[in-house]
Amino acid sequence: MSPPPRFGIWAAVHGARAAHHDPDEPDDATWERNRALVLEAEALGFDAVLVAQHTANPFDDARDQLEAWTASAALAALTRRIEIIAAIKPGLYHPVVLAKMALQIEHIAQGRFALNLVNAWNRAEFERAGLPFPAHDARYAYGAEWIGLVDRLMRGERVTHAGPHFQVSDYQLRPAGTFRPRPTIYLGGESEPARALAAERADVWFINGQPLADVAALIADLARRPTARTPLRYGLSAFVIARETDAAAEAEHARLLALAHRDAALRAETRARTDAASVMFAKTDAAASRHVGTNGGTAAGLVGSYATVAERIRAFHGAGIALFMLQFQPFEAEMRRFAEHVLPRVR
């Protein structure tokens, strides 16, 4: 019998997830809001928080943006149970430096820390800082060497390595292994290089929100791939709209869609800065007029009555999804609604 599903939230690192013109949702990415949000999520019974990494707001650099790794360290000290998952783009940090940071947060959290490897899509974030932004597959080759080093360093191994991108000589990090062998490694991305890297290195593969049949096909593809590691687990990003009735949920979805259409200029600017090879954006561009939320959003179909949403979650869990990483809007109110009306139905 498989373990029960786990539920996490996306931190509000750059404000609203569905629409930036919603009078019910402040476009607030402050530390104060995120601290309160994560502490409440933990109290409500959520299992994880994903802190996405951007150095500047990816939609509009005049807006606030929470820094992922400093915020994750602070959250590790404030929380007691919830898993803290910080996204990381390998091109921004040397693997020795990042592995040390990860081990420190793991120690603060007493074994509740994880990193989510993402190989970046926002060209401007790198190019405006004078940092290299290689082609898509080259970024994954870099990321594969990078995570191989980080994995070994987080385990406390003494590492000597000479590769295309990194040369490390007789390096060992401490403390390590205090609570478990190393922090958990999540990986996002659905391209062929991303899938290959997930099979080789990840503990959990994050899938963007999409229909059940597509998710099942992705899981089947990864499950066929050989791995010397423990069985790969799977997470799903999804935007939730749950109400008493299916009709009420669809009406709220329509409201958010109408508001999201006012963000067309922001989306166009973001798309202009995006790597054209990004699978996530190729999918979401095609569905932008029908769905809200990032990373697939409502394309996962978690829109409906409390019973409908619970039933769809059970179906995804039956297909292999272990962790549901959820978005809401307005975030705090809808997170509470989900905890009160949906969580009891799936637990």
Side-chain angles (χ1 to χ4, degrees), residues 92-251:
L92 297 177
Y93 289 92
H94 191 281
V96 169
V97 176
L98 192 282
K100 180 59 179 175
M101 291 169 62
L103 284 175
Q104 187 63 67
I105 302 176
E106 168 83 346
H107 202 76
I108 295 168
Q110 298 187 327
R112 293 179 290 117
F113 183 64
L115 59 88
N116 177 36
L117 180 68
V118 292
N119 277 287
W121 51 264
N122 186 355
R123 293 195 317 273
E125 182 177 21
F126 287 76
E127 292 175 350
R128 291 178 182 176
L131 295 170
F133 189 74
H136 180 274
D137 289 5
R139 292 200 306 279
Y140 273 94
Y142 180 96
E145 184 179 351
W146 186 95
I147 193 60
L149 278 168
V150 169
D151 189 331
R152 295 177 62 196
L153 288 161
M154 290 194 303
R155 293 179 186 275
E157 295 182 19
R158 187 173 294 278
V159 175
T160 295
H161 170 89
H165 306 100
F166 303 106
Q167 288 74 46
V168 176
S169 177
D170 196 31
Y171 227 109
Q172 186 178 48
L173 299 177
R174 288 291 187 271
T178 307
F179 304 98
R180 52 183 175 165
R182 61 152 170 73
T184 304
I185 296 174
Y186 289 75
L187 189 139
E190 295 171 21
S191 65
E192 176 53 35
R195 298 185 198 196
L197 187 54
E200 180 184 3
R201 289 289 181 184
D203 301 307
V204 185
W205 184 41
F206 266 137
I207 300 170
N208 289 313
Q210 52 202 289
L212 176 61
D214 294 345
V215 169
L218 289 169
I219 291 174
D221 177 65
L222 265 290
R224 286 192 294 266
R225 298 177 184 234
T227 177
R229 304 164 66 79
T230 57
L232 187 64
R233 303 190 301 277
Y234 304 94
L236 180 72
S237 177
F239 191 105
V240 177
I241 304 175
R243 292 291 187 275
E244 289 284 352
T245 66
D246 289 337
E250 292 295 347

Side-chain angles (χ1 to χ4, degrees), residues 44-55:
L44 289 170
F46 287 88
D47 303 293
V49 56
L50 175 58
V51 188
Q53 185 190 44
H54 303 282
T55 49

Side-chain angles (χ1 to χ4, degrees), residues 6-14 17 34 37-38 41 46-54 65-69 71-72 75 82-88 112-118 185-188 206-208 235-238 294-295 323-327 331:
R6 300 172 66 237
F7 297 92
I9 63 162
W10 286 70
V13 298
H14 46 57
R17 283 281 168 185
N34 278 279
L37 178 64
V38 174
F46 287 88
D47 303 293
V49 56
L50 175 58
V51 188
Q53 185 190 44
H54 303 282
Q65 174 67 46
L66 190 76
E67 200 289 306
W69 281 69
S72 293
L75 291 170
I82 199 166
E83 181 184 27
I84 299 161
I85 309 168
I88 182 66
R112 293 179 290 117
F113 183 64
L115 59 88
N116 177 36
L117 180 68
V118 292
I185 296 174
Y186 289 75
L187 189 139
F206 266 137
I207 300 170
N208 289 313
L236 180 72
S237 177
T294 64
N295 296 80
L323 173 64
F324 293 83
M325 194 56 65
L326 304 178
Q327 302 171 14
F331 208 112

